[in-house]
Amino acid sequence: MAQSLTRLKETPSQTAGPYVHIGLTPNICEISGVYPEDLGTRMVDDKTKGERITVKMRIFDGTGSVIKDALIEIWQADADGLYNSPSEPRGKADPNFTGWGRQASDVETGVFTFETIKPGRVPFPDGRPQAPHISLWIVARGINLGLQTRMCFADEEKANAEDPVLSRLEHQSRIATLVAPRDGDTYTFDIHLQGEKETVFFDV
Amino acid sequence: MRNARPETGGFFQRQRNWHPPAFAPGYKSTVVRSPQRAPVSFGNTLSEITGPVFGRAMLGELDNDLTLNYARPGESAIGPRIIVYGQVLDERARPVPNVLVEFWQANAGGRYRHKKDGYLAPLDPNFGGCGRTITDEDGNYSFLTIQPGAYPWPNGINDWRPAHIHFAIFGHGFVQRLITQMYFEGDPMIWQCPIVRTIPDKRAIETLIAALDMEATVPMDARAYKFDIVLRGRRSTMFENKLEGN
Ligand SMILES: [Fe+3]
């Protein structure tokens, strides 16, 4: 036996369950009056710098059905590539941009809608610029550990081609699962939990 | 802030076998919702190392009191009054200060205030079921609530959830984000639950069971349960491979 390293183990995850919205977006499930508004619904205000975009996401299960009881949180840099976080060592991000959003999907259509801005580029640890991207965290009934992935932008072909994360994927054919096509100001990101088109999820 | 400079190092690799696997057929909903390919690993970038923080200014006075935050004036939620408290730590056993902790639960009868919950147990007009707080400088949090009831759920024909409180915890980096559930010491329902049993290691399950703490109990008012939460630990700086503690 050697000395103990006195490390603790991370608390194990448990599913968010079917009623995650009671806790995290209570106003959309008719629990009003507890919080003035649901956290994370507004990422931008009138003064936010950058190109305004709408991101629409859907999640499909292994049968091809749209999931309607999930919750997605997103995290992204501001227009200059800075994160609005105390752990951001490079400078102060746009104070009018939170960088963080949380949404439940529309109960009828399963579409998640984020009103945000296009993020700037953020360096990889070795200094190479990453492609503009939005980080996602997905929780729902039937998901035992929150799923982590990234959304990239289809109109950033050059940046995507040189992105250090995308370029290290063993199966380059799967890059397409992380790239959202653009139509006007709207990007559409379809997430597939299983099957041929299964989205690349990350262990980061 | 206790730490003059926020830490910016990458997070320790997640021990995925300590968590439930994505595919756990005893919990039927995982069957069509579990990714089948291996997740792709890469070292943390600033996108993973940074994360949102929330100021105490956003908290309402009753956000950490579920007995009152949905109740009509002069009334309160029905059920055994309990205090749930604990400390948010990281894997290096350091307190995680100033992070948002959110929680939600069924009422004392085991019924959620949700359109999709059709359990026979009645709604409590004075109970909404959500609350939140922010850890103090030492990572401590606490809230007042009522003990939730066990409830049946459609999985097997006779599966029941033990009494539990759902927790969602932010860390200081986006990949510390964690959702879990807290159970109650001594509850025989814990060990039969298919969701609990998605966790492969009994020792891991035991870390989700809050201990009854008679010393923290408020006499003639509320019993206390202690539930500590551990988030992923990190290296101290991003750009150097300095030894921890430097
Ligand atoms: Fe529950």
Side-chain angles (χ1 to χ4, degrees), chain A residues 57-79:
Chain A
M57 302 185 183
R58 287 182 300 178
I59 306 174
F60 296 87
D61 71 14
T63 72
S65 308
V66 178
I67 288 184
K68 295 176 183 170
D69 58 4
L71 180 119
I72 298 180
E73 291 184 6
I74 65 171
W75 176 238
Q76 65 166 93
D78 71 7

Side-chain angles (χ1 to χ4, degrees), chain A residues 6-24 26 29-37 39 60-63 67-71 73-75 83-90 98 100 102 107 122-125 130 133 135-137 139-148 150 165 168-169 174 193-204, chain B residues 6-8 12 14-16 18-22 24 27 29-37 39-42 44-54 58 63 69-70 89-93 100 102-104 112-117 128-132 166 168 170 172 174-175 177-181 183 195-196 198-199 204 207-208 228-232 234 238-239 244:
Chain A
T6 63
R7 297 271 156 71
L8 302 175
K9 282 187 180 294
E10 187 185 11
T11 296
S13 176
Q14 289 270 262
T15 180
Y19 306 125
V20 59
H21 304 109
I22 292 176
L24 304 189
C29 55
E30 294 162 30
I31 300 177
S32 53
V34 181
Y35 309 144
E37 66 173 5
L39 206 58
F60 296 87
D61 71 14
T63 72
I67 288 184
K68 295 176 183 170
D69 58 4
L71 180 119
E73 291 184 6
I74 65 171
W75 176 238
Y83 283 101
N84 190 346
S85 168
S87 306
E88 168 59 84
R90 297 167 300 153
T98 67
W100 177 77
R102 172 194 274 172
V107 281
V122 176
F124 201 62
Q130 301 182 74
H133 64 275
S135 299
L136 279 78
W137 183 68
V139 293
R141 169 176 67 85
I143 294 177
N144 282 334
L145 176 63
L147 297 171
Q148 294 159 331
R150 285 182 171 199
V165 173
R168 72 173 294 158
L169 294 182
R174 299 188 67 206
L193 299 180
Q194 296 180 345
E196 279 295 292
K197 291 185 280 188
E198 183 177 311
T199 300
V200 173
F201 296 102
F202 293 107
D203 171 31
V204 279
Chain B
E7 293 186 319
T8 53
F12 302 155
R14 190 165 238 164
Q15 290 185 28
R16 297 179 79 91
W18 187 248
H19 292 282
Y27 173 24
S29 296
T30 67
V31 173
V32 295
R33 294 184 169 199
S34 45
Q36 292 164 326
R37 292 172 165 88
V40 173
S41 304
F42 61 90
N44 286 173
T45 75
L46 284 159
S47 309
E48 288 74 40
I49 284 163
T50 57
V53 295
F54 304 92
M58 74 168 219
D63 282 6
N69 70 9
Y70 192 81
L89 302 156
D90 71 13
E91 287 170 303
R92 291 186 295 169
L100 182 65
E102 298 166 289
F103 19 87
W104 66 101
Y112 281 100
R113 182 169 291 282
H114 195 284
K115 245 187 235 156
K116 293 238 174 80
D117 188 354
C130 61
R132 62 186 178 187
H166 296 263
F170 284 86
H172 294 154
F174 193 55
V175 295
R177 200 85 178 81
L178 181 71
I179 276 194
T180 191
Q181 301 182 31
Y183 306 100
I195 287 178
V196 171
T198 60
I199 299 173
T207 68
L208 297 181
D228 291 340
I229 297 161
V230 180
L231 301 179
R232 292 173 70 182
R234 75 195 313 178
M238 180 183 184
F239 295 107
E244 192 179 293

Side-chain angles (χ1 to χ4, degrees), chain B residues 112 151 161 164 166:
Chain B
Y112 281 100
Y151 58 82
R161 296 303 325 282
H164 62 278
H166 296 263

